[in-house]
């Protein structure tokens, strides 16, 4: 029976607001340090999300989704 190797998923979620300040360090100290990884990025559509998508799309092992999120009502919840 053939062995199947599994990749490690590195997941990010957010708006990408400060990506120009953080991407290089994330890549250098996290993404590049984990062999056999897939980078999965969920970005909420924002003024910064297109820029963040450009950064992560440079990676050969990335899967990037930019999603327009609908606001949720907090009305049904008691705080």
């Amino acid at each position: 029976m053939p062995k199947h190797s599994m990749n490690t998923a590195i997941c990010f979620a957010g708006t990408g607001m400060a990506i120009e300040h953080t991407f290089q360090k994330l890549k250098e100290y996290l993404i590049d340090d984990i062999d056999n990884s897939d980078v999965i990025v969920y970005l909420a559509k924002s003024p910064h999300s297109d820029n963040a998508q450009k950064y992560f799309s440079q990676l050969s092992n990335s899967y990037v989704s930019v999603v327009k999120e609908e606001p949720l009502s907090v009305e049904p919840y008691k705080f």
Side-chain angles (χ1 to χ4, degrees), residues 22 33 36 52 60 66 69 78:
T22 59
D33 275 357
N36 300 322
S60 63
V66 178
E69 294 184 332
K78 296 189 191 289

Side-chain angles (χ1 to χ4, degrees), residues 6-10 30-32 34-39 61-63:
M6 294 180 67
N7 287 1
T8 300
I10 304 170
L30 180 65
I31 297 167
D32 289 348
I34 300 175
D35 294 331
N36 300 322
S37 66
D38 291 319
V39 179
N61 60 337
S62 70
Y63 304 88

Side-chain angles (χ1 to χ4, degrees), residues 5 11 19 23 26 32 38 47 50 56 76:
S5 65
C11 303
I19 196 66
F23 181 78
L26 288 171
D32 289 348
D38 291 319
D50 289 343
F56 283 106

Side-chain angles (χ1 to χ4, degrees), residues 15-17 19 23 41 43 48-57 64:
T15 62
M17 185 166 39
I19 196 66
F23 181 78
V41 183
L43 296 165
H48 311 284
S49 57
D50 289 343
N51 190 35
Q53 182 178 22
K54 288 177 191 170
Y55 276 93
F56 283 106
S57 293
V64 182

Side-chain angles (χ1 to χ4, degrees), residues 13 63 67 76-77:
Y63 304 88
V67 178
Y77 305 104

